Amino acid sequence: MGRELIVLGIAFLLSGLLARVGARFGLPTIPLFVAAGILVGPNTPGPVLFENPHDLELLAAFGLIFLLFYLGVEFSVEDLTSGGRKLLWSAGLYLALNLGGGLLLGFAFGWGTKEAFVIAGITGISSSAIVTKVLVELHRLANPETRLILGIIVIEDLFLALYLAALAPVLGEAESMADGALLFLRALAFLLLLAAVANWGAPVVEKIITAKSDELLVVLFIGFAFLVAGVAYELGVSDAIGAFMAGLVIAGTSLASRVERLVRPLRDGFAALFFFAFGLSIDPGDIASVLGPAVIAIVATLLLAVAAAVGAARINRLDRLAAANIAFSVAARGEFALILVTLAASAGLDARLAPFAAIYVLVLAVISPILALRSAAFVRFFPKRLVPDPV
Amino acid sequence: MSADHPVPPEPQRLPGVGQRLDLVDHDGRPVTVIRQKDGNLEVHHDGTSVDLPANQARALGALASGHFRMAPGLFERVDGVLGGIEFDWVTVPEGAWAAGLSIQDLALRQRTGVTVVAILRGSLPILVTDPTQRIEVGDELVIVTPPEGRPALERYLERGS
């Protein structure tokens, strides 16, 4: 017990201190938490904090649950509808290009069909955490393109839940086509059931978890989130979707803003551990074997980000600078790629996925904010013919 | 208020960040105000911007509203109260069960946990110090309420339960 606490304490401190140094250079936290895990993992020289990354499995799962639960709590249908059709087109274009590109690459790598679908998810969905942070820190919240960027991110978040359900046969242990279909239907039924609860059952859920004191509210909503996540897991749907849907149910109650405020510190703490634990599982020795595919995927993501941003700028009548800002902010990858690859690893998919995702996320999470900061310098790559300057 | 904008602008949500309010100045130039979730305020105008920390922003809001004077540190203290309290108002709806009854008859504080501090009737604010004050349809009740106290009050005013 004592040893475990000491090791956990060091894990948190190391992650936090490394991220603090990074913050001085404008780097987001996620890649540095992962890097801390790689440094003290069993596969790198120097001190080894955790012989077996699986020791952290449960605590890391808390991180995953709180990340997605928070996303659900924060969700508002208004965010989808207020952007109108232009937002849906822009986000649809973004997802189609990046998901489609990832799928093609996945098949080209030849690691398997299931693996190709996981790669599509990794390349398809941006990091809400990093994108939001970049916009705040670059002081771009009032920019004309910012509502569009945040709208795209919200749709991507929602898409993630649907995609996780669609991946149920891939991430579950489906032996046959029939098995796979059954898993998918079960996942879909579960999503629909919870969507119905979110829509009509919110008052009942509110009665169950409401409390005047923050202390009791925290205890009750954690119970609700874990229970739904656990049931989802047992049904083969993944705890991640369960947690997201639990959050979505709470978003429909009058407790939403309090829960959102209270869950944030829990999410921050445990999510750091989730990223750290992912880092532990990475063997830098494996990186050489996936370096080629990872570099190809990174270049493809950046090119597709530019293409999607040109389209989004046209749809929304934004200028070239706005297009460049969209392209490089939304190119950040982080928590969702790592969540997908963690689920893929526990489903026993190709072991190359983890180091692939590690390089992919580490590079994009670091260079996307840097490129976004200097997006004005890249404006000339956005053809004037396609994105006219504003009148 | 400028003649082009007869309706006061409403803030819009910025998902994951906070809210955005689009205003115009006297010359019709846009002023964009961002309120982040932590209460920090950014005011953008004419290519420059001003950033206010949360407590300064609250003081600005209180001053701009002109309705009440804020004791220094009031909000910090309110946050510190168990569960927080909220300052809000509700309108007494048409056909409300409670219309014509007094604050005392209604036993509002005992029944709903909500305290009525003032009644706005037409242009006339009534500072409620007298519990025999009757409420009427259309009155706006200014209330201090624990979190989620408002729905209970609304139900009670309407249906008496």
Side-chain angles (χ1 to χ4, degrees), chain B residues 91-158:
Chain B
T91 308
V92 180
E94 200 69 47
W97 165 85
L101 298 175
S102 72
I103 305 278
Q104 194 171 38
D105 299 336
L106 289 167
L108 277 183
R109 199 176 330 182
Q110 295 86 325
R111 297 292 299 266
T112 64
V114 175
T115 305
V116 176
V117 292
I119 298 175
L120 307 178
R121 185 172 297 162
S123 57
L124 183 74
I126 305 168
L127 283 176
V128 181
T129 46
D130 179 3
T132 61
Q133 176 67 51
R134 290 178 196 287
I135 64 171
E136 293 171 12
V137 169
D139 279 358
E140 291 197 64
L141 309 183
V142 181
I143 57 172
V144 174
T145 164
E148 288 89 48
R150 197 192 143 121
L153 174 70
E154 285 174 327
R155 217 167 30 241
Y156 183 59
L157 290 177
E158 227 180 301

Side-chain angles (χ1 to χ4, degrees), chain A residues 70 74 76 78-79 132 136 139 141-143 147 150 154 212 214 254-255 258 260 264, chain B residues 12-17 20 32 34 36-37 42 44 49 51 82-83 146-148 151:
Chain A
Y70 180 80
E74 209 195 31
S76 151
E78 198 191 317
D79 295 339
T132 310
V136 171
H139 224 261
L141 292 179
N143 280 22
R147 289 197 69 210
L150 293 171
V154 169
K212 279 188 180 161
D214 285 352
S254 70
L255 301 168
R258 274 174 76 205
E260 189 187 317
R264 219 173 294 152
Chain B
Q12 298 168 311
R13 277 172 57 93
L14 278 185
V17 174
R20 168 186 175 132
T32 305
I34 307 286
Q36 295 183 34
K37 284 186 174 173
E42 294 177 10
H44 296 255
S49 71
D51 291 3
L82 194 64
E148 288 89 48

